[in-house]
Amino acid sequence: MSEITDFDALRRAMAENSEQPEGPARNARAEQLLAQAEKLNVPLAVIEALGHQLKVYNYSSEKDKMFVPFARLLRMWDEHPEDFDEYETLSLHWVFKWMSAGMLDQPHVPLASIEKWLGEMEHRYRLAGHSERAVRSAEFSVAAHVGDVDRAERAYAAWLAADRDGMADCHACELHGQGWWQVERGRDAVALQLWAPVLEGEFACAHEPHTVLASSLSPLLRLGRLDEARAHHLRGFRLVRAMESMRGAYADHVEFCALTGNEARGLELLAERPAYFTDTGHPRSRMDFMSVVALLMDRLTELGLGDQGVPGPADRSWTARELAAHARGEALALAARFDVRNGTAHVTERVRARMEQRPLVERLALGVRSDRLGYTARPVTPAPVTPAPASTAQEPDLAALLAEARRLSDTLRPNAVEAWAAVARAAEGAELDARDRAEIVDHEAMDLGPAGAELFEAAADLYVAAGDPGEALAARARAAYVRALAGRVDEAVEAVAGPYDEVLALYAEDGTGVRQTASVLMGRARILMRRVHEADDATVAGASQETVLAEAEAAVREVLALVEGHSGDDVRLASRAAESRAMLAELAVHHGDVEKAAVLFARAATAYVEAGLPWFAVEYEARLAGLAQHLGDTTEAERALRSALEHGGPHLEATGRAQLHLQLAEVLGGRGQSGEAAEHALEAAHWADEAGEGPTFGVWARHLLGGFLLRQGRWAEAAEVLESALPDLSAETHGDGAIVQTQWWLGDCLSELGEHRASAERRLQAAEIARHWPEQHDHATLAHLAAESLGHAGMPAEADQAYARAGELWRSLGNVHGLVRSLRARAWLALRTDDGTKAARELMAAAVHECAGALSTAGDEESRQRLTAELGHTHRQFGDLLARSSAEDAEDGSIRATFEDALTEVEEAISVFASLGADARHARTGAELAAGWLAADLGRTTEAAARARAVLEEYVDAAEDDEGAGERQAEAEQMLRVVREGQEAQEEGC
């Protein structure tokens, strides 16, 4: 650290320290600067250094250190007020408020001392001529903290009634406090109305809308405004994440996770801030933090995860159950200290109520992945539950269970297999006939999938023993089919041949019914369809591709011919007919007849719905949606996907639900419906996570969701989602194009949020990938965007280098517009550097040269029009640059010459824009006004006035809602006033 030798160096050092992140390092630097200020022997230097120390302590976790420097400042004021300048005098009175709040947050400060301080604050404010608004606000805080509602309401009313002056908190902070009180009084909707101007960006400060976003979370959840709550969490957490002083707001976000089924994200938040468990400088926020830690840990324990490892104080490892007890003890101990000080039980009551909250939403999807650190927040197996009291009602007997299972099977209900499993459990040790045992074994085999072949064979033997040869053949066909599912297709084809021949013979002799025969025929058709799926252009077991397709189609049509006309109210037969049409659709796809396939899938889905089996329609509606997209019919694709989600209902598994939402998001996004597309992408990400597919298609859903949020201008939410997606994106799985697009979008978001350095990093990372692509347009665009971000981040040398690289790329691509804009940007950057005027002129002249050269060789009219407009803007910018390049301390003749050059360029812009006619009207009149100001600066007031009148004449017939015209008219009238006032002043001087 260099020695501070003068006051200016001290001020520069304090300004630099103010820009550093909140925390102990910044505080330590402030302490060093105070020590050096004391060596300068300048009272104001010490005063400013003490004020700086106060500020960094206040915006850190070491708020308890504020009192010593403030007491010293106050003593210096009382002894030598003349040592304080106007700013430091105001600052001293301003931080009175920090002291009152700071005392309230420290339980070791007696309440009597706080009340005495309020009186001191009121006295000193009155002497200084300040309003009592800040005093009443401080009194309200004390009364609300101790639970004195009557006094709080009186102080609240007096606070709002007092005049706002320079000592009042900013509008944003005041509205936060007012809304907080409304929430305390149970008026959530009123609070949100008060907070609206802060949430909408009308009012802001260093800590707002940070705290308002955090405070709004629970009220929004209680009001059922879940989309807003989600958005406020994503947007607000991004703001408080890096601010050490905002432990209380951070706690609100942890609480939100505990109340919305996002326990894993809550654990990740705790892991990000280990110091929050132990920092003792601000007891009140530590109490709030430990309260929500207890809430979250209790929730995990309730879910059966009490023994899971969780992030906690760094001195040891913790389970959720252990941390719950520790956090509860810490929170209650702190609350007790406050209550002893206050003489009430109010703080403890609030802390207990906070820790005892119940979830407000079972699971609110956030769109961000929250299991990357390995924390499990949902049990793999159901959590233990307390056994229910013995029921007096008689349990269903075996006969009733059998009857219910048969009913469910006959109507193809989704939970039929589970019903048969219940029968099997109830039948253990019971005497059953062969038919009952056959059905139990048959359904047990169905539950095993490809592993059930042997049980199907056993069921067939039992059906034979029960005197049902047709069902026995159906069971053997099922055994053959599960072999095909296991990949043994040729074996399955051979195995089904016998049952197929036998059942046809049996059916011809009236030895079995349509249902059993259809079951065997469908089993054979399914096996032959499996062979189609595994076939390629080569042969399959000696058969050609055409033969395989023909045999499968014949088998499917045979099923259809059998069941049509026989189905009636038999849902099993109706299901066979619907499935047959779906198979024909699959075959049409193999034949390349996509339109026919779409029609057949639609008929299959409709048949299932009409049969009362809508959940079977889902697969085919999803296939139909894919084909419709292929055919360019996005309306039909959207309809089919919505139907699939509706028909699947509660029966859809997480994976299927995720895929359907993802497809629908893509369709809606492609049609420009970003709002609803974002909703479905959010659902897709949520269900993908539930299915354990977060790193696969879940990340693709997040990628899309970020893009859809970006389109809506929801920059902070989009940034959170995109940052969550990036670690799971891989070139191997998702393609490097997805990575580039995500980085690109994220860079755009960060740019809009003012995080320009981070934006530049993302854009440069994307550009590095795109650098290796054959087509270089994206590379050039990203390099140009990165340069813009570097410029905004205050890194002109790096920005110039990036613009130069972008310019080279634009030139290689023959993109004159990109090249010209990169040269103009470099010119403006050069003007910001010492002695950069010459380079700036040369770069802008090069931009004019490149544009004019391209225009002279342009072929088509559209290109000529665009290049002409570009040339006009370049001349205009050249004029602006020259006007700004004139140094204030230059010779008058030099300044005049520069302004003359600037006017020449602007007049050239006017001429170029004029050639474009009405399309460039606003650009031309804007240049006309710029020329007028330059003429006025050169003392040519008559010319300036003429240009202003020409602009007014141009817009004499402009529509009232033409904003561009209104702006030009207002500026022209302002120019006339300035010219007239200048002329009058000149005449008076004469």
Side-chain angles (χ1 to χ4, degrees):
M1 181 187 69
S2 60
E3 187 75 15
I4 301 295
T5 58
D6 59 68
F7 200 174
D8 287 340
L10 175 69
R11 283 174 165 165
R12 287 195 299 272
M14 290 190 295
E16 291 172 2
N17 195 44
S18 294
E19 297 300 317
Q20 298 304 306
E22 295 177 353
R26 187 169 76 156
N27 295 354
R29 176 62 172 154
E31 292 161 6
Q32 294 169 350
L33 292 174
L34 174 60
Q36 297 210 21
E38 290 168 337
K39 298 176 183 178
L40 298 179
N41 198 29
V42 177
L44 185 58
V46 176
I47 291 168
E48 290 190 12
L50 285 167
H52 175 65
Q53 195 176 71
L54 262 173
K55 180 178 179 181
V56 299
Y57 284 156
N58 185 57
Y59 293 116
S60 78
S61 61
E62 298 180 308
K63 292 178 185 286
D64 54 335
K65 292 185 175 182
M66 289 193 301
F67 303 110
V68 173
F70 182 73
R72 185 177 173 186
L73 268 175
L74 197 58
R75 186 173 64 252
M76 293 176 71
W77 167 261
D78 289 338
E79 295 174 354
H80 296 286
E82 69 277 5
D83 289 340
F84 288 70
D85 62 15
E86 182 180 0
Y87 178 80
E88 292 302 328
T89 300
L90 287 172
S91 295
L92 177 69
H93 286 82
W94 179 268
V95 295
F96 264 88
K97 300 180 297 183
W98 292 0
M99 293 305 107
S100 61
M103 290 177 179
L104 201 61
D105 295 339
Q106 303 290 335
H108 69 276
V109 179
L111 190 62
S113 297
I114 297 173
E115 295 287 4
K116 180 181 177 182
W117 181 256
L118 275 177
E120 178 77 8
M121 180 181 175
E122 184 171 9
H123 172 68
R124 288 180 180 267
Y125 270 42
R126 188 179 300 114
L127 287 177
H130 297 308
S131 162
E132 67 172 12
R133 189 177 181 95
V135 178
R136 299 285 76 85
S137 173
E139 181 189 4
F140 159 77
S141 297
V142 173
H145 173 67
V146 302
D148 187 341
V149 175
D150 291 340
R151 183 187 179 192
E153 290 283 21
R154 290 194 302 273
Y156 182 90
W159 166 24
L160 269 62
D163 292 335
R164 277 189 58 84
D165 67 351
M167 286 297 108
D169 283 340
C170 74
H171 279 290
C173 288
E174 283 205 331
L175 288 173
H176 175 250
Q178 293 162 21
W180 174 85
W181 182 241
Q182 298 303 322
V183 171
E184 287 292 299
R185 305 300 296 147
R187 299 186 283 264
D188 290 337
V190 175
L192 288 164
Q193 288 176 344
L194 282 167
W195 288 333
V198 182
L199 295 170
E200 293 166 5
E202 183 178 347
F203 302 122
C205 68
H207 279 185
E208 295 296 352
H210 313 44
T211 55
V212 165
L213 285 164
S215 297
S216 71
L217 295 172
S218 290
L220 286 169
L221 291 174
R222 286 192 291 268
L223 292 171
R225 293 160 62 173
L226 304 185
D227 290 341
E228 291 174 76
R230 176 195 303 111
H232 286 199
H233 169 63
L234 294 177
R235 178 182 163 204
F237 181 67
R238 186 172 193 84
L239 293 173
V240 304
R241 172 181 267 146
M243 300 183 73
E244 186 200 46
S245 63
M246 302 203 71
R247 179 164 54 182
Y250 201 98
D252 290 338
H253 287 280
V254 176
E255 178 183 52
F256 168 84
C257 294
L259 297 178
T260 59
N262 286 287
E263 298 85 5
R265 180 165 173 84
L267 294 175
E268 292 203 346
L269 267 57
L270 298 186
E272 284 192 32
R273 279 290 185 179
Y276 277 172
F277 289 99
T278 52
D279 283 345
T280 58
H282 192 243
R284 191 171 181 178
S285 70
R286 184 163 184 260
M287 176 183 70
D288 290 337
F289 183 75
M290 298 307 278
S291 299
V292 300
V293 170
L295 171 69
L296 178 60
M297 296 305 123
D298 284 345
R299 180 63 181 149
L300 289 170
T301 303
E302 183 180 341
L303 289 169
L305 297 167
D307 295 325
Q308 175 178 279
V310 294
D315 58 335
R316 50 163 286 192
S317 59
W318 297 86
T319 65
R321 187 177 289 105
E322 292 167 342
L323 186 57
H326 171 77
R328 184 178 298 102
E330 291 285 312
L332 290 173
L334 286 165
R337 289 177 59 197
F338 280 109
D339 282 342
V340 168
R341 188 270 301 275
N342 300 339
T344 68
H346 180 66
V347 176
T348 297
E349 290 170 357
R350 292 186 76 251
V351 166
R352 287 191 182 280
R354 191 169 197 181
M355 293 190 294
E356 292 169 3
Q357 291 178 96
R358 301 299 304 153
L360 296 172
V361 183
E362 177 61 27
R363 189 73 184 275
L364 178 62
L366 300 180
V368 292
R369 190 172 169 213
S370 301
D371 59 354
R372 198 166 281 111
L373 296 183
Y375 298 119
T376 304
R378 291 283 162 170
V380 177
T381 55
V385 294
T386 305
S391 174
T392 55
Q394 187 175 359
E395 295 293 330
D397 59 20
L398 181 56
L401 289 172
L402 267 168
E404 176 63 7
R406 284 177 177 141
R407 184 189 70 80
L408 294 174
S409 292
D410 286 345
T411 55
L412 297 177
R413 298 298 104 176
N415 50 348
V417 171
E418 289 80 359
W420 280 105
V423 170
R425 289 191 296 271
E428 290 181 6
E431 288 291 330
L432 295 172
D433 61 30
R435 177 72 191 197
D436 294 340
R437 285 185 289 126
E439 290 183 83
I440 291 172
V441 173
D442 201 3
H443 286 88
E444 185 179 348
M446 293 177 193
D447 197 28
L448 293 175
E454 292 185 4
L455 278 179
F456 277 128
E457 296 288 358
D461 292 339
L462 288 168
Y463 281 126
V464 170
D468 191 343
E471 200 60 56
L473 292 170
R476 288 199 165 90
R478 289 191 281 274
Y481 177 56
V482 296
R483 290 187 178 95
L485 290 178
R488 294 144 56 190
V489 178
D490 292 339
E491 180 184 333
V493 171
E494 293 180 7
V496 80
Y500 169 71
D501 291 337
E502 292 177 43
V503 81
L504 288 177
L506 197 62
Y507 180 63
E509 298 170 357
D510 292 331
T512 190
V514 174
R515 181 185 285 190
Q516 290 78 12
T517 306
S519 183
V520 175
L521 267 57
M522 180 56 77
R524 177 171 174 268
R526 288 171 176 170
I527 291 168
L528 293 174
M529 287 297 296
R530 293 293 299 182
R531 188 165 68 164
V532 167
H533 291 306
E534 293 192 1
D536 53 25
D537 291 336
T539 58
V540 180
S544 68
Q545 178 77 359
E546 292 77 9
T547 301
V548 169
L549 290 170
E551 288 180 353
E553 182 170 348
V556 173
R557 293 194 179 282
E558 189 175 18
V559 176
L560 200 56
L562 174 68
V563 300
E564 282 194 320
H566 290 88
S567 57
D569 294 331
D570 190 327
V571 296
R572 282 182 172 269
L573 294 181
S575 172
R576 301 296 187 207
E579 186 178 355
S580 296
R581 290 192 175 86
M583 288 177 172
L584 291 175
E586 292 277 4
L587 291 167
V589 171
H590 275 81
H591 284 297
D593 193 343
V594 178
E595 293 183 357
K596 179 180 179 182
V599 171
L600 288 167
F601 275 130
R603 290 180 63 189
T606 300
Y608 276 123
V609 173
E610 290 176 348
L613 305 170
W615 47 89
F616 284 121
V618 172
E619 176 185 353
Y620 306 118
E621 286 166 331
R623 291 295 309 278
L624 172 59
L627 294 177
Q629 279 184 276
H630 177 76
L631 293 167
D633 189 351
T634 55
T635 301
E636 175 62 6
E638 178 185 345
R639 186 209 61 77
L641 289 166
R642 291 189 190 280
S643 295
L645 284 166
E646 176 189 350
H647 293 148
H651 309 300
L652 273 176
E653 294 184 356
T655 300
R657 191 178 297 276
Q659 290 171 330
L660 288 172
H661 279 295
L662 187 57
Q663 276 185 272
L664 187 50
E666 290 176 327
V667 170
L668 293 170
R671 302 179 69 185
Q673 298 170 239
S674 300
E676 190 178 357
E679 295 174 10
H680 287 285
L682 177 68
E683 288 294 315
H686 167 72
W687 289 108
D689 289 345
E690 291 288 300
E693 296 288 349
T696 53
F697 54 84
V699 69
W700 184 252
R702 271 182 268 279
H703 163 82
L704 292 178
L705 174 59
F708 295 141
L709 292 171
L710 174 72
R711 290 187 200 174
Q712 298 171 68
R714 296 160 65 177
W715 317 113
E717 296 167 68
E720 282 292 304
V721 171
L722 293 167
E723 286 175 345
S724 174
L726 266 176
D728 288 327
L729 285 171
S730 69
E732 295 75 21
T733 303
H734 307 97
D736 56 10
I739 299 174
V740 168
Q741 184 64 80
T742 303
Q743 296 273 28
W744 193 330
W745 282 338
L746 182 53
D748 291 348
C749 291
L750 296 172
S751 177
E752 293 289 344
L753 293 169
E755 300 176 36
H756 298 297
R757 186 182 291 263
S759 173
E761 290 174 2
R762 295 301 185 182
R763 287 168 167 175
L764 288 170
Q765 289 166 359
E768 178 58 26
I769 298 173
R771 181 171 69 87
H772 302 286
W773 293 353
E775 209 290 314
Q776 289 289 283
H777 186 273
D778 285 343
H779 182 201
T781 303
L782 285 162
H784 200 114
L785 290 171
E788 287 183 6
S789 294
L790 290 165
H792 289 307
M795 303 168 68
E798 293 84 351
D800 181 74
Q801 185 178 359
Y803 274 126
R805 176 61 181 145
E808 293 171 4
L809 290 166
W810 291 129
R811 187 186 296 279
S812 69
L813 291 167
N815 189 319
V816 179
H817 298 278
L819 173 59
V820 167
R821 289 169 190 177
S822 66
L823 288 167
R824 292 197 311 236
R826 293 182 65 199
W828 285 108
L829 284 171
L831 194 63
R832 289 161 52 183
T833 63
D834 294 337
D835 301 323
T837 302
K838 180 181 178 183
R841 280 176 172 248
E842 290 173 352
L843 286 163
M844 198 63 83
V848 170
H849 175 75
E850 293 288 349
C851 198
L855 181 57
S856 68
T857 60
D860 62 278
E861 183 60 25
E862 182 181 351
S863 297
R864 289 186 59 80
Q865 292 283 316
R866 290 185 62 219
L867 285 167
T868 300
E870 197 75 75
L871 180 60
H873 289 299
T874 306
H875 278 298
R876 168 65 195 275
Q877 286 199 34
F878 202 169
D880 291 344
L881 180 138
L882 290 169
R884 295 186 198 181
S885 69
S886 182
E888 292 182 4
D889 57 354
E891 297 284 339
D892 286 347
S894 173
I895 294 175
R896 186 172 186 84
T898 301
F899 275 25
E900 290 283 6
D901 290 344
L903 182 55
T904 299
E905 290 295 334
V906 176
E907 287 176 331
E908 190 65 35
I910 295 169
S911 175
V912 172
F913 286 136
S915 70
L916 293 172
D919 291 341
R921 184 187 196 188
H922 292 331
R924 176 174 55 79
T925 53
E928 190 79 59
L929 290 168
W933 290 116
L934 285 166
D937 288 336
L938 288 165
R940 290 154 32 186
T941 55
T942 302
E943 177 185 341
R947 291 185 184 277
R949 292 190 188 96
V951 171
L952 290 173
E953 180 65 25
E954 179 71 34
Y955 291 111
V956 69
D957 295 326
E960 291 185 6
D961 59 352
D962 187 336
E963 293 183 7
E967 292 172 2
R968 297 290 186 269
Q969 288 170 319
E971 187 178 351
E973 288 167 354
Q974 179 191 9
M975 186 181 296
L976 287 174
R977 284 195 302 273
V978 170
V979 169
R980 184 167 52 252
E981 290 167 1
Q983 290 172 337
E984 291 171 355
Q986 188 175 19
E987 290 172 1
E988 289 175 4
C990 294

